Amino acid sequence: TIAPRTIAVQPTQLYESLSMVFVLLMILTFDRVKRREGQGMALMMICYGIHRYVNEILRIDQRPVGFENYVSILLVVAGVVMMTWLGLRKETPASSPTAA
């Protein structure tokens, strides 16, 4: 019998492309309803951290794991903290251009 010599892998590149298109559409939609500058970046940090964490779970190649997962979790936590901080911050009036 003929047995394959490779391991079965998930098409993570395809998953990554599709999920990043979804994240892009989510951020473009959120940009219309955001209330403060910087909230789009916070959403990007949260979505990308979740995306990377799930993508690393799907990979089954032989390499050390841990660092990527910790960075992804840190990115999600930092994004949540940033979104919360931006939501609690006082609104500042728009800066008016100064006449020279």
Side-chain angles (χ1 to χ4, degrees), residues 10 13 17 20 23 26-27 33 41-42 45 51-52 61 64 73 75 79 82 85-86 91 97:
Q10 295 284 335
Q13 293 88 355
S17 298
M20 289 310 294
V23 168
M26 186 184 315
I27 290 172
V33 297
M41 182 63 190
M45 291 167 65
H51 154 79
R52 288 302 307 166
D61 53 353
I73 292 169
L75 198 56
M82 184 176 175
W85 177 71
L86 288 169
E91 282 193 50

Side-chain angles (χ1 to χ4, degrees), residues 14-49:
L14 179 63
Y15 298 157
E16 183 161 359
S17 298
L18 292 175
S19 68
M20 289 310 294
V21 167
F22 178 68
V23 168
L24 172 67
L25 294 175
M26 186 184 315
I27 290 172
L28 289 174
T29 303
F30 180 75
D31 191 47
R32 296 180 181 174
V33 297
K34 70 179 180 179
R35 296 180 185 198
R36 307 230 196 282
E37 291 296 321
Q39 285 183 324
M41 182 63 190
L43 181 64
M44 177 65 187
M45 291 167 65
I46 295 167
C47 291
Y48 188 73

